[in-house]
């Protein structure tokens, strides 16, 4: 997909990337490798991780640790300009393992920030 879109990506101001991770099929290093792949393919473009999530855990302690670790790793990549995590709250039960509000993830993440 990306190789077919390199011309469009080269003309963009920023590149938006989604990065999902979980402990079974896509560990955190895999999500970081996805981000690194985009950084390598589109040189000199700022990167925005427009959607990131531990999409299977459901465990607030694991999720909050993963989110802080992911953020710390992204900070080591100067071209990454920001990250938005998915999803605060939703009525669709499909998203239940990812919800922040019911797990008070904001407070847990803030408590783990360096």
């Amino acid at each position: 997909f990306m190789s077919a879109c390199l011309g469009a990506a080269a003309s963009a101001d920023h590149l938006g990337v989604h990065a999902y991770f979980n402990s079974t099929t896509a560990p955190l290093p895999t999500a970081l490798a996805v981000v690194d792949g985009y950084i390598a393919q589109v040189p000199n473009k700022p990167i925005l991780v427009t959607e990131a999530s531990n999409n299977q855990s459901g465990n607030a302690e694991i999720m909050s640790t993963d989110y802080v670790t992911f953020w710390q790793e992204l900070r080591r990549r100067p071209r990454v300009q920001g990250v938005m995590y998915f999803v605060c709250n939703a009525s669709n039960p499909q998203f239940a393992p990812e919800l922040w509000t019911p797990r008070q993830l904001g407070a847990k993440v803030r408590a783990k920030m360096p």
Side-chain angles (χ1 to χ4, degrees):
F1 168 80
M2 192 59 196
S3 59
C5 298
L6 282 176
S11 67
D13 293 331
H14 292 77
L15 186 64
V17 177
H18 288 188
Y20 291 92
F21 43 91
N22 59 68
S23 59
T24 56
T25 60
L28 197 55
T30 302
L32 291 165
V34 167
V35 174
D36 291 338
Y38 283 98
I39 289 171
Q41 288 185 62
V42 186
N44 304 315
K45 291 290 176 184
I47 303 289
L48 299 171
V49 180
T50 55
E51 201 168 288
S53 180
N54 176 329
N55 62 357
Q56 289 183 357
S57 172
N59 178 299
E61 289 306 316
I62 292 170
M63 293 172 78
S64 58
T65 298
D66 284 350
Y67 291 142
V68 171
T69 301
F70 187 67
W71 174 78
Q72 288 173 319
E73 286 297 318
L74 291 178
R75 291 190 68 201
R76 297 172 59 184
R77 292 153 172 86
R79 296 221 349 255
V80 176
Q81 301 294 303
V83 58
M84 277 108 348
Y85 291 111
F86 181 84
V87 55
C88 185
N89 212 352
S91 60
N92 185 333
Q94 171 187 350
F95 300 121
E98 300 175 85
L99 299 180
W100 280 60
T101 303
R103 292 178 181 80
Q104 300 179 336
L105 278 178
K108 291 180 186 323
V109 166
R110 185 173 46 254
K112 293 180 181 184
M113 294 297 277

